[in-house]
């Protein structure tokens, strides 16, 4: 019986997460409006590509990668539904409206999940730790900004998000180039045993 070998899906997942996070956080930082480019990127690369990467990580028996990529892929899809709010025209109740407190709870729960993923990342390379540490900070800042109704906090979070997404893009490129060249081209800060 032959072993099923598949390529490392992490670079795809990191790229999907990173590019979408950078693009969205240009908006959070106040540099662009929320627009169809952000929504399309969130659906396709942030959502679909990460879900595909997560499913491939399940096949590789990588619990951390499978959970991270699949969960964050569905995060992007849920965020698009929050923005789109398809129930707004159907119901006259306030249940379908998304107020700052509800958005804050939504982001806080993602921050809590990400905090535990950061703790799990401590067994991984430094690049992965940077991604999860900065993502934890991003979610908690965004939640605080929603709870406080503070555009300033959300703008600060946007710059943290640009850094976070950029670190994920770097980790993706590093894994691709290191694999292609069979040596360390871009360091990931490998964990020493």
């Amino acid at each position: 019986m032959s072993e099923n070998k598949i390529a490392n899906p992490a670079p795809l997942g990191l790229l999907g997460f990173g590019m979408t996070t950078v693009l969205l956080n240009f908006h959070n930082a106040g540099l662009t409006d929320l627009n169809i480019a952000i929504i399309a990127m969130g659906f396709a690369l942030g959502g679909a590509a990460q879900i595909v990467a997560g499913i491939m990580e399940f096949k590789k028996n990588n619990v951390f990668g499978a959970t991270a990529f699949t969960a964050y892929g569905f995060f992007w899809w849920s965020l698009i539904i929050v923005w789109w709010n398809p129930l707004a025209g159907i119901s006259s109740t306030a249940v379908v409206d998304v107020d700052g407190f509800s958005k804050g709870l939504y982001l806080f729960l993602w921050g809590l999940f990400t905090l535990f993923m950061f703790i799990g990342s401590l067994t991984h390379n430094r690049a992965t730790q940077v991604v999860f540490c900065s993502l934890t900070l991003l979610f908690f800042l965004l939640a605080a900004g929603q709870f406080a109704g503070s555009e300033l906090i959300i703008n600060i979070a946007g710059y943290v998000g640009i850094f976070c997404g950029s670190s994920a893009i770097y980790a993706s490129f590093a894994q691709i180039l290191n694999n292609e060249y069979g040596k360390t081209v871009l360091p990931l800060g490998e964990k020493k045993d």
Side-chain angles (χ1 to χ4, degrees):
M1 213 159 87
S2 68
E3 184 180 326
N4 184 8
K5 297 193 182 234
I6 61 172
N8 178 8
L12 172 63
L14 287 164
L15 185 69
F17 170 78
M19 289 179 61
T20 309
T21 299
V22 167
L23 192 59
L24 173 59
N25 281 286
F26 274 107
H27 164 67
N28 287 334
L31 303 172
T32 64
D33 291 330
L34 182 62
N35 58 60
I36 192 62
I38 296 169
I39 294 169
M41 182 82 87
F43 179 79
L45 202 58
Q50 281 195 95
I51 293 167
V52 168
I55 291 168
M56 291 174 68
E57 291 284 13
F58 276 112
K59 191 154 179 70
K60 291 178 69 96
N61 200 30
N62 179 352
V63 173
F64 184 89
T67 303
F69 291 133
T70 306
Y72 292 117
F74 282 113
F75 160 78
W76 286 109
W77 283 1
S78 73
L79 185 61
I80 290 166
I81 292 169
V82 168
W83 289 332
W84 177 38
N85 196 359
L87 300 178
I90 297 171
S91 173
S92 61
T93 67
V95 173
V96 297
D97 293 333
V98 184
D99 57 88
F101 184 75
S102 297
K103 285 181 194 173
L105 285 176
Y106 171 81
L107 294 162
F108 177 80
L109 288 172
W110 278 103
L112 193 60
F113 168 69
T114 304
L115 174 62
F116 284 97
M117 293 301 287
F118 168 67
I119 294 167
S121 79
L122 296 176
T123 65
H124 294 256
N125 62 51
R126 296 291 180 245
T128 302
Q129 294 170 21
V130 168
V131 170
F132 280 95
C133 181
S134 59
L135 182 58
T136 301
L137 181 59
L138 171 61
F139 274 125
F140 285 141
L141 281 171
L142 287 171
Q146 290 296 326
F147 287 140
S150 172
E151 193 67 29
L152 176 62
I153 296 172
I154 292 170
N155 290 161
I156 292 167
Y159 288 100
V160 171
I162 292 167
F163 171 81
C164 175
S166 297
S167 67
I169 293 169
Y170 172 86
S172 173
F173 290 170
Q175 288 186 38
I176 293 167
L177 293 177
N178 294 351
N179 180 71
E180 291 304 306
Y181 286 92
K183 64 180 182 179
T184 300
V185 176
L186 295 174
L188 289 163
E190 296 302 329
K191 187 87 170 139
K192 305 262 191 290
D193 290 328

